[in-house]
Each structure stands twice: as structure tokens, then as C-alpha cells.
Amino acid sequence: MRTFYSVMWYLALPLVLGRLWWRGFKEPGYRQHWRERLGFYGGRVAGWHTIWVHAVSVGETRAAEPLIDALVQAYPDSRILLTHMTPTGRATGKALFSRHGERLIQAYLPYDTVGMVNRFIRQFTPRICILMETEVWPNLIATCGERIPVALVNARLSERSLRRGQRFGKLMTDAGRGIALVAAQTEADAARLRSFGAPNVEVTGSIKFDVVVPDAALETGAWLRARIGERPVLLCASTRDGEEALILDAFKTMAPPAGPAPLLMIVPRHPQRFDEVAALVRERGFSLRRRSAIAQEGAAQLSDTQLSDTQVLLGDSMGEMFAYYAACDVAFVGGSLLPLGGQNLIEPCALGKPVLVGPHTFNFALATDDAIADGGAIRVPDAAALLSEAARLLADPAARAAMGAQAAAYAQRHRGATARTVGLLRRLIY
């Protein structure tokens, strides 16, 4: 089965590279470092004790921050090799981990063929492969398993992903058996991962709860909030294709509040959609400002940059999600109005913000259900209900404060997964 899988990879490679080039029209980063995707890393020097962490894109890279910081501290004579599959993930890693200097290097993970993975391992000679969350590549795991241990950490697997994986039968169960350690987020995730044959599955919780909000993000959030003024702010974060139109249409019909007009702040999950969302806003007749266009003026010029006439602020910057959460009063976490599985709601909870989510949160089912049960989040059935519930909270500071305090308490109660994960990894890192 794996031989067939490998042959299919080689046959598909021209199409894969063509798609990479095509995506480069919207995201030029896809055309950079493309040789690395084939396993060629000229100029890099092995010789370090290298701990390899793979975080496919932005979400996994941000989730890996507490783990990478802990590994840097626990293994002072090692370097971290952080690999990605997307340019946005790579850019996020560069921004997050520049403080580690030469202790952390970045590269793209090669495509999942035996030859490319072998070139990668010979180049960097890692002591362990640590995969974040849901990354299971059969050839990578089989090739690594012959030389170094493979760990899947902060692991999660939805019912939908389980059903999809079961279609591949022995290919996926063989990959599961090749993973030396699985550190799962929940008991349900652990049970689903065991069904793939993983022999050593432990429940450690989500390391996302251990993230530390950077002071710089809080400062940026305060700077942005000062320019917004006293207006109530609804943030729609990590929105996906199709959701912005629903939100904007509901915002257009929302009953006007008694006080200042609310500001709708939208931060699309994918940067290539920033211009598309800006066009949606203008088509509906809203006044728009973009985060990238707001000059960082001094306090003496603050009145000139306040967003008093802006109805929608588009968050078109990378690496500032914590700042957007810090600047808002109520946060909606996107990917959940449509059947896309939702996104992580831990960050707004950690900042003590009331959280709203849509009906589709299967990718983060337990975390979302727990936040709702603890009173820190509310589920809404559609965009109209989202704007109605947001209007209620924005008009009631006491209810907002109480819900935000419950969200913060929920996030605090679930901390500690990073230490548990590092404790398990010590058995494999030598």
C-alpha cells in the first residue's frame, strides 16, 4: 500500500509543483525556498543536537510556541529545527521565535516521498521528529522510524478526520504504529488515535492553554483601542470564505444601540483574502479602514487617527491576533458559522474576553463545549443571532465583565499541558 502511495506521489508531483507556482500569484511566498520542498537544503550545516518540530501552518506554529520555548530551556545545548508547509506558517515562526537567534532555524518540510525525506534527514540529522496536532505522513513516519523516534503532540483528531483516514486502511494504521508517542489533547482524541494503531497514547491536554500573551501584543492592542475610542468593538476573528458576507449582511440590519455606534473588526484567517474581504465591505456600503493603513501616530496626534467614522476595520496584518483580541470587547471565533470545524477559542479566553462561536466547532469540540459549560462562551446558530447576542453583550458592561472573567478562569484551569508533554518527550530525546 505504501509503495502505491509513493508511486502516486511521484506521478502527482508535476501537478503539485504547478499548483505551488499558481498559488504564488496570490501569495509570492509559495515561490520562495521551493527547492526545500524537494529535499534540497544547500548551505545548511549539520552537527548540532537537533530537535525537529513540524508545524504545518499559522495555527500549529502559534500553538507550538509554549513547547518550543520549553524545549529551548530544557535542552540548552540543542537547536530547534522548525518546519512548515505554508509561507504564512513560516512567516509566523520567524516573527514568534526570532528571540531564540541561531538556536532555532526554519525550513519547509519536503513532500512525502522516501527520497526527499531521506535527503532532509541526512541534511539536518535530527534526534527526534515532533509533529504538531494532526500531521501524519506515511513515508515520513516510516523513514524516520528506521532512525529516530516520532512523536505526535498536542494531537487532535475529529470524527470527520477519523472517517477520512479510515478510507486509507492499512496505510494509516501502519503510520499510526510507527509513532512512538502520542500526546493527545483529550480522551476522545486519544481513543480515535488509538484506532489508527498508535501504541503509546497519553492524554496531556492542549498546550495552547500555556501560551503567554506577549507584552508587545498588549501594547499594540492598547494603541489600537486608543484610536478606536469609547465605541464598543465586536471582533470577528479567523473568519473563513463565506462567513464575512453573512456577518456583514447581519451587521447591516442590526438594530442601532442606545450609545455609540459599534465598530465591527474583521480579521480573515487567510491573508490572501484581505483584498477580497475589503471589496465585500465596500460593496455593502460600509465605511472601511484597514489596519495596515493606520499610521502609528504619537499621542499628540491621536485625535487625527481615531476611527470615529469607520464602521468596519479590516485586520489585514500578520501576527497580531492577540492585539486584536486585546482591543475588542466581544470576540467571535470564525470557521464556525459554516461547516468548517471552527478555530481555537483559547486565546480570547486567556485575555478574558466573552467569546461567541457558531454551530460548527467539531475541530475543537471539547474545548468549545467546556468553555460554554464554564460560562466563558456562547454558541449562536447563525449570523443574525451572532450580531444580536453581540449587541446584547456590548450594551451590558456587567454581563460582559462576568462572562470575560469566566472565560479567563476556564483558560487558567487548563494550563500545564506543556510540562506534561516535555516530561513524556524526555524519554525519547537523547
Side-chain angles (χ1 to χ4, degrees):
M1 187 67 182
R2 193 159 64 85
T3 300
F4 175 75
Y5 169 80
S6 300
V7 170
M8 293 304 296
W9 249 114
Y10 280 109
L11 291 175
L13 200 56
L15 294 176
V16 171
L17 292 174
R19 184 171 182 269
L20 190 74
W21 187 256
W22 178 81
R23 293 191 71 175
F25 284 107
K26 285 189 174 182
E27 286 187 80
Y30 276 103
R31 295 183 180 179
Q32 298 172 355
H33 311 289
W34 64 270
R35 286 173 55 84
E36 295 182 358
R37 298 180 184 273
L38 303 178
F40 296 106
Y41 304 87
R44 296 186 181 273
V45 180
W48 285 72
H49 183 290
T50 300
I51 298 172
W52 166 25
V53 178
H54 177 60
V56 60
S57 191
V58 174
E60 294 83 0
T61 303
R62 289 167 60 189
E65 184 176 9
L67 177 64
I68 288 175
D69 288 344
L71 290 171
V72 167
Q73 183 174 2
Y75 297 93
D77 296 327
S78 298
R79 73 174 176 185
I80 306 297
L81 167 62
L82 179 59
T83 58
H84 313 274
M85 292 298 289
T86 70
T88 51
R90 188 167 182 151
T92 299
K94 183 177 180 180
L96 284 178
F97 303 116
S98 59
R99 62 184 181 273
H100 294 313
E102 67 174 8
R103 291 286 308 280
L104 185 140
I105 60 173
Q106 292 177 273
Y108 282 126
L109 185 71
Y111 294 127
D112 196 33
T113 71
V114 174
M116 295 176 194
V117 173
N118 268 321
R119 283 198 293 271
F120 172 88
I121 294 175
R122 284 196 301 268
Q123 179 71 40
F124 295 106
T125 61
R127 300 298 183 91
I128 186 172
C129 169
I130 302 173
L131 305 173
M132 291 294 300
E133 297 199 357
T134 57
E135 289 294 290
V136 177
W137 295 100
N139 278 330
L140 182 149
I141 291 171
T143 305
C144 287
E146 298 170 358
R147 308 178 187 185
I148 59 173
V150 178
L152 180 65
V153 306
N154 209 45
R156 59 183 175 88
L157 187 69
S158 68
E159 285 288 350
R160 176 179 291 191
S161 296
L162 174 63
R163 291 193 296 271
R164 190 182 301 126
Q166 286 173 335
R167 297 173 192 166
F168 295 92
K170 191 172 184 297
L171 182 68
M172 295 306 293
T173 55
D174 284 350
R177 293 189 188 100
I179 301 175
L181 168 69
V182 175
Q185 294 188 22
T186 70
E187 289 287 356
D189 291 317
R192 288 189 282 266
L193 287 158
R194 289 187 187 103
S195 71
F196 276 132
N200 181 21
V201 182
E202 303 278 352
V203 177
T204 54
S206 174
I207 65 177
K208 293 180 181 180
F209 286 102
D210 295 329
V211 69
V212 177
V213 183
D215 290 338
L218 296 177
E219 292 170 5
T220 301
W223 169 84
L224 184 59
R225 185 67 203 219
R227 278 141 181 81
I228 294 169
E230 298 299 320
R231 299 171 61 190
V233 179
L234 168 63
L235 168 64
C236 293
S238 297
T239 54
R240 304 277 296 276
D241 190 8
E243 291 188 314
E244 297 92 358
L246 297 174
I247 292 166
L248 290 167
D249 289 341
F251 187 54
K252 201 173 187 70
T253 61
M254 187 177 75
L263 175 69
L264 176 62
M265 190 156 51
I266 299 179
V267 184
R269 178 160 180 79
H270 298 119
Q272 64 268 30
R273 299 189 58 247
F274 289 157
D275 291 342
E276 174 190 337
V277 175
L280 289 174
V281 174
R282 293 191 181 99
E283 285 170 7
R284 284 157 176 79
F286 292 116
S287 58
L288 171 71
R289 291 290 298 276
R290 298 177 70 141
R291 163 69 179 94
S292 59
I294 302 173
Q296 297 194 16
E297 303 287 349
Q301 299 169 295
L302 186 60
S303 60
D304 295 333
T305 58
Q306 281 181 321
L307 305 172
S308 57
D309 298 324
T310 300
Q311 294 171 293
V312 179
L313 175 62
L314 176 62
D316 61 345
S317 60
M318 291 294 297
E320 291 194 326
M321 190 59 78
F322 268 128
Y324 291 123
Y325 281 130
C328 79
D329 295 299
V330 175
F332 165 72
V333 179
S336 59
L337 282 179
L338 298 175
L340 300 166
Q343 300 297 151
N344 167 33
L345 51 60
I346 295 170
E347 290 180 358
C349 287
L351 281 165
K353 302 295 179 176
V355 178
L356 302 176
V357 296
H360 307 286
T361 55
F362 51 81
N363 284 337
F364 301 89
L366 184 62
T368 304
D369 291 344
D370 285 350
I372 292 170
D374 285 0
I378 295 174
R379 191 185 299 279
V380 295
D382 52 38
L386 161 63
L387 271 296
S388 176
E389 191 63 37
R392 180 187 70 81
L393 287 168
L394 292 174
D396 189 343
R400 222 166 47 233
M403 189 173 170
Q406 289 168 317
Y410 154 76
Q412 182 63 33
R413 276 195 296 273
H414 289 81
R415 293 177 66 86
T418 302
R420 290 188 286 272
T421 301
V422 171
L424 293 172
L425 290 172
R426 286 185 184 278
R427 307 173 189 173
L428 304 178
I429 300 175
Y430 54 89

